Amino acid sequence: MSATKGLNSKKKRAARQNSNVFAIFDQKQISEFKEAFGIFDHNSDSIVDRDDLREMLSSLGQNVSDAYIDAMINEAPGPINFTMFLTLMGEHLNGTDSESEILAAFQAFDVDGNGLIDADDLRAALMHMGDRFDEKEVDIMLKHAPITADGCLKYREFVQMLKHGE
């Protein structure tokens, strides 16, 4: 292995994720987002990081704090490669909740703080509170959900499935 290759292999890479985010946009939109991603990725390492964001915002005349940059970076659950960038754009443009917001909603039902929710309690809440689901809709939603043998939803895994298709 050459010295150059060894240095390049240490670059931070985003894990590939199964995502249907490419189905949200048409080819023209994806091309436009790819161009925008290239503008954000100042160092051309295929990852938008804190330095890239700071440079981009500075070029627009924005002098922002580290906390502001951190808040932007922390919207993503991992490194911001093009797929993650497209996912974030899709969430913002289509009004879906972020992963942290969905987790917070489930945590409200996690009485023991162990990452588990009684599936029957969740079913009842979905059918009787807020935007009420009917029984068929709840059945569809929970069909492939990770539910333990004793009937508890592993909501962290479920949110991962919802947001990343895994």
Side-chain angles (χ1 to χ4, degrees), residues 21-37 82 85-86 93:
V21 70
F22 290 94
I24 295 172
F25 302 110
D26 63 34
Q27 278 305 117
K28 183 175 187 265
Q29 291 171 310
I30 292 171
S31 294
E32 290 169 352
F33 281 122
K34 187 73 171 171
E35 185 177 336
F37 181 81
F82 179 65
F85 180 80
L86 206 55
L93 295 174

Side-chain angles (χ1 to χ4, degrees), residues 59-78:
S59 74
L60 296 171
Q62 302 293 314
N63 185 15
V64 296
S65 68
D66 287 341
Y68 185 82
I69 297 287
D70 288 344
M72 290 180 74
I73 290 291
N74 290 333
E75 284 188 41

Side-chain angles (χ1 to χ4, degrees), residues 95-151:
T96 61
D97 293 325
S98 71
E99 189 168 342
S100 62
E101 290 170 320
I102 296 170
L103 280 170
F106 279 116
Q107 286 169 343
F109 293 94
D110 183 2
V111 294
D112 297 326
N114 60 2
L116 300 172
I117 300 171
D118 184 283
D120 290 334
D121 290 348
L122 178 62
R123 174 181 290 279
L126 290 170
M127 293 173 62
H128 298 101
M129 297 172 64
D131 293 334
R132 294 183 178 124
F133 290 81
D134 64 32
E135 188 172 351
K136 184 178 178 182
E137 291 171 322
V138 175
D139 287 343
I140 291 168
M141 185 177 87
L142 297 177
K143 182 177 182 178
H144 297 290
I147 298 178
T148 64
D150 59 341

